[in-house]
Amino acid sequence: MNSCLVCGSSGLVPLLRLSQGLTITSLCKTIEGRVSSFFCRACGHVQTTPLPNLAEYYAENYQILAQSAEEDQLLTLANGKLAYRLQHQAETLLESLEIPPGAKILDYGCAKAETLRRICQARQDLVPFCFDVSDDYAGFWKTFVPEGNWSTHRAREEWDSFFDFVTTFFALEHVERPKEFLGEIRRLLRPGGKVYGIVPNLLTNTADLVVADHVNHFTVPSLERLLCDCGFSGIEISDEKHPGALLFIAENSEGRGNTLPGDTRLEEQVMEIARYWEGYVGNVREFEDGHPNEGGVAIYGSGFYGSFIYASLREPSKVRYFVDQNPYRRKTLHLGIPVISAEEITSDLEVLYVGLNPRIAREAIEAVEALQSRELAIFVP
Ligand SMILES: [Zn+2]
């Protein structure tokens, strides 16, 4: 990878190259290849070299939260409360946009389009449309989208300059050609129409750097630059409305947006994140060596962070269970290991690894009552 996917600059600084066995996707699957990422000094973008078999991985495995319409992930909000991600996305959109009655709204790369369904439940005047590269989700769309208002693989020709709003939730980080992706969204918007999107925020959700299928890791300046270069204006980016993510709104209009001035602290922040992940396995194993617990250990969190701990352990076979507060995860297996609630932890357990975003991990653990009465050695990497 020689040039920046956002600004085209060739001045990329190597950031991180993970060792083998740590190539874990956003759906917590281990795939072949090694994660290797770079920082662009010109626009502040961070990118990971796409793995050779990503296309195959998406075609065969990419079914996110596809068990049921309601299946969801948990978020920890700034006030410490838990919220379901899809519900939070729907509420935040309704608070952040002024949507005129009868507006046409397309969810682009929508998967099961559950956020759009909830938006339309709250606003029954809106006209929903769906687009995804996969055929797997039509069963979900049928339940609320009028026949003919969805398309797979290719957007319909009659959709040119058609939509009042196009949404894109957690898609841009996966695409190798982000300019083409946003250019297509702009083509589908009527003049004055708006794109509304969410991408992970590398600075507050640092695991984004090591998610193997995330090619793009956005910072505020690189996202601003991308939207601006794609011809959007009136760009608003918030790093507060969605935990660990950047939420953006931008308008399809003639005026040109401004790019942000370069931020010299950004490179240092990004380097620090890279160093954290470089030392991660060593930190986990140092703790593991100091706690040779023959009775087995548990990992709190069955998402990406928890899976990364599992992959980092010298003896992952000692993991007896994952602990997760998300009711959709319980009674399931993760990596072949049972997922239980904190209340179900057996009394003989002595060691717990915390697989949560380190920014919120300690607070989140302290809020779990079932853990407070226990004498556990708790490790937050
Ligand atoms: Zn760049």
Side-chain angles (χ1 to χ4, degrees), residues 281-299:
V281 173
N283 288 338
V284 168
R285 292 188 174 176
E286 197 183 300
F287 180 87
E288 188 180 8
D289 293 343
H291 294 79
N293 190 284
E294 294 313 317
V297 303
I299 297 176

Side-chain angles (χ1 to χ4, degrees), residues 65-85:
L65 301 176
Q67 300 300 321
S68 70
E70 291 76 25
E71 189 189 358
D72 206 342
Q73 295 158 334
L74 280 174
L75 295 174
T76 305
L77 302 178
N79 59 12
K81 291 212 170 97
L82 293 175
Y84 283 108
R85 177 168 70 86

Side-chain angles (χ1 to χ4, degrees), residues 206-218:
T206 60
D208 192 57
L209 185 63
V210 293
V211 175
D213 53 327
H214 286 186
V215 176
N216 298 294
H217 313 285
F218 290 97

Side-chain angles (χ1 to χ4, degrees), residues 233-249:
S233 61
I235 299 165
E236 296 167 43
I237 299 175
S238 164
D239 60 2
E240 287 174 354
K241 289 184 174 179
H242 190 109
L246 296 173
L247 187 156
F248 62 93
I249 303 170

Side-chain angles (χ1 to χ4, degrees), residues 167-287:
T167 59
T168 165
F169 300 107
F170 295 104
L172 263 174
E173 65 272 24
H174 293 274
V175 302
E176 288 176 42
R177 294 182 186 83
K179 284 171 107 166
E180 271 179 33
F181 186 93
L182 271 177
E184 165 91 347
I185 286 180
R186 184 169 178 240
R187 190 175 64 78
L188 301 173
L189 283 167
R190 65 162 173 80
K194 286 181 176 172
V195 59
Y196 179 100
I198 305 182
V199 292
N201 181 1
L202 173 63
L203 295 189
T204 58
N205 187 8
T206 60
D208 192 57
L209 185 63
V210 293
V211 175
D213 53 327
H214 286 186
V215 176
N216 298 294
H217 313 285
F218 290 97
T219 59
V220 172
S222 78
L223 184 57
E224 179 105 15
R225 173 70 186 259
L226 177 67
L227 287 161
C228 193
D229 286 358
C230 289
F232 288 99
S233 61
I235 299 165
E236 296 167 43
I237 299 175
S238 164
D239 60 2
E240 287 174 354
K241 289 184 174 179
H242 190 109
L246 296 173
L247 187 156
F248 62 93
I249 303 170
E251 191 177 314
N252 173 23
S253 64
E254 290 306 317
R256 212 176 137 72
N258 293 316
T259 48
L260 295 172
D263 178 352
T264 46
R265 278 176 317 152
L266 185 60
E267 181 167 349
E268 190 38 51
Q269 285 173 292
V270 167
M271 290 291 177
E272 198 181 308
I273 293 169
R275 283 193 295 270
Y276 170 78
W277 289 104
E278 224 160 47
Y280 191 92
V281 173
N283 288 338
V284 168
R285 292 188 174 176
E286 197 183 300
F287 180 87

Side-chain angles (χ1 to χ4, degrees), residues 25 27 29 31 52-64 132-137 153 174 213:
T25 69
L27 299 183
K29 293 211 159 79
I31 59 171
N53 34 13
L54 270 186
E56 191 188 324
Y57 160 74
Y58 286 128
E60 290 174 8
N61 299 306
Y62 206 77
Q63 286 226 335
I64 182 158
D132 201 274
V133 291
S134 165
D135 294 313
D136 294 342
Y137 304 103
H153 306 289
H174 293 274
D213 53 327

Side-chain angles (χ1 to χ4, degrees), residues 75-77 80 82 204-206 276-277 280 299-301 305-306 309 325 352-369 371-372 378-381:
L75 295 174
T76 305
L77 302 178
L82 293 175
T204 58
N205 187 8
T206 60
Y276 170 78
W277 289 104
Y280 191 92
I299 297 176
Y300 191 96
Y305 282 96
I309 290 182
Q325 293 305 81
L352 184 68
Y353 293 84
V354 181
L356 299 174
N357 185 340
R359 280 172 71 100
I360 53 116
R362 287 189 190 280
E363 253 187 342
I365 284 293
E366 279 162 21
V368 181
E369 247 173 64
L371 294 177
Q372 304 318 312
I378 294 180
F379 182 60
V380 183

Side-chain angles (χ1 to χ4, degrees), residues 11 60 71 90 95 115 144 154 168-169 240 296 317 319 331 378:
E60 290 174 8
E71 189 189 358
E95 282 162 20
T115 304
F144 74 102
R154 253 167 197 282
T168 165
F169 300 107
E240 287 174 354
S317 60
V319 178
K331 314 265 183 249
I378 294 180

